[in-house]
């Protein structure tokens, strides 16, 4: 049996502690560290490690809606079959539907539209069943054998933004964190742009390392002067 303990710890210190928006979950998965990433478009220096696996969404709302629709449809159908077995006439909607299905051709617009809607709903349910979801949650390296930790992407972006604002020359910065890449767009109001870009890349690279992610994302940094 697995359990989950959602916490909101403080911002990570120099030792690389958990960041705001961290989620802890017991699981026997394990992962390894990633390498640093210097340069203008900062790719990881070493192979990407960490097979901790993503967190899977429970998707209670789609499951509940699907179950309720199936229950309602089967209930109406069962009631109609029981009425017919008892000698009563079937419901008008079922007789109309049976007549329409018997008389309409397969290339009819309404038949094709109904088939397309049913196929789209089925494909949507398959996608929900086969994909983990929870794209906003990044998997962290587990420090304990039976604990999985997750970090919200918004919390990671906030931590990296605070670190970027400490770089001399940076006037403003926007940080966007995805599962595969961290993108930073900064405005520098003094110092040489190449120097600011180099320092910003180093600071953000260290910040990414201290987040403790199981899969280290790449880093892209762009620095420009503010508009007049």
């Amino acid at each position: 049996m697995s359990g989950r303990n959602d916490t909101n710890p403080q911002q990570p210190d120099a030792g690389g502690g958990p960041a705001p928006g961290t989620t802890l979950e017991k699981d026997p998965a394990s992962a390894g560290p990633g390498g640093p990433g210097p340069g203008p478009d900062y790719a990881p220096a070493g192979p990407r490690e960490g097979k901790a696996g993503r967190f899977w969404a429970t998707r209670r709302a789609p499951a509940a809606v699907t179950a309720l629709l199936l229950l309602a449809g089967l209930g109406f159908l069962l009631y109609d079959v029981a009425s017919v077995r008892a000698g009563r006439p079937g419901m008008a909607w079922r007789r109309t539907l049976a007549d329409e299905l018997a008389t309409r051709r397969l290339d009819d617009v309404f038949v094709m539209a109904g088939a397309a809607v049913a196929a789209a709903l089925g494909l949507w349910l398959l996608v929900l069943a086969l994909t983990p979801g929870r794209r906003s949650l990044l998997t962290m390296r587990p420090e304990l054998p039976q604990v999985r930790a997750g970090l919200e992407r918004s919390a990671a972006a906030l931590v990296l933004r605070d670190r970027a604002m400490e770089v001399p020359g940076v006037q403003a910065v926007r940080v966007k964190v995805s599962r595969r890449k961290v993108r930073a767009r900064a405005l520098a109001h003094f110092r040489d742009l190449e120097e600011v870009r180099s320092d910003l890349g180093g600071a953000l690279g260290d910040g990414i390392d201290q987040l403790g992610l199981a899969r280290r994302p790449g880093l892209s940094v762009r620095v420009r002067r503010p508009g007049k």
Side-chain angles (χ1 to χ4, degrees):
M1 178 179 297
S2 63
R4 183 172 299 163
N5 179 18
D6 295 335
T7 60
N8 291 316
Q10 301 297 323
Q11 179 175 333
D13 54 15
T22 303
T23 300
L24 300 179
E25 178 176 332
K26 292 184 178 180
D27 192 273
S30 61
D41 279 333
Y42 303 84
R48 294 185 176 182
E49 301 179 1
K51 302 298 183 181
R54 293 175 56 186
F55 289 84
W56 281 74
T58 54
R59 293 191 172 100
R60 295 185 178 91
V65 171
T66 303
L68 289 176
L69 291 177
L70 290 176
L71 182 62
L74 292 176
F76 275 112
L77 183 60
L78 181 61
Y79 176 80
D80 189 55
V81 171
S83 298
V84 173
R85 292 292 184 181
R88 299 177 180 178
M91 291 184 179
W93 66 268
R94 191 169 71 89
R95 296 198 305 268
T96 302
L97 179 61
D99 293 340
E100 291 291 334
L101 293 177
T103 56
R104 288 186 180 272
R105 298 173 57 88
L106 294 179
D107 57 355
D108 186 82
V109 176
F110 292 100
V111 175
M112 296 181 64
V117 170
L121 291 176
L123 180 61
W124 176 62
L125 292 176
L126 286 176
V127 170
L128 291 180
L130 298 177
T131 55
R134 305 194 69 176
R135 299 182 59 85
S136 64
L137 195 61
L138 303 174
T139 306
M140 301 176 65
R141 294 192 302 268
E143 300 296 337
L144 298 176
Q146 295 182 346
V147 175
R148 294 180 63 205
L151 179 65
E152 292 285 346
R153 288 182 358 192
S154 58
L158 180 61
V159 171
L160 295 178
R161 178 186 176 278
D162 291 343
R163 182 174 287 269
M165 290 299 297
E166 297 176 357
V167 176
V170 174
Q171 181 181 14
V173 62
R174 291 189 305 172
V175 179
K176 182 179 180 181
V177 178
S178 63
R179 291 180 52 244
R180 298 183 180 275
K181 201 164 190 178
V182 175
R183 293 177 175 85
R185 302 294 180 262
L187 299 178
H189 58 299
F190 68 91
R191 296 183 66 198
D192 182 72
L193 291 182
E194 290 299 327
E195 294 180 358
V196 176
R197 182 182 295 110
S198 177
D199 293 347
L200 185 58
L204 291 179
D206 293 339
I208 293 175
D209 290 338
Q210 293 181 8
L211 291 178
L213 300 178
R215 181 187 180 95
R216 189 186 191 280
L219 177 60
S220 173
V221 176
R222 296 290 184 270
V223 180
R224 63 181 178 87
R225 297 294 184 192
K228 296 182 180 179

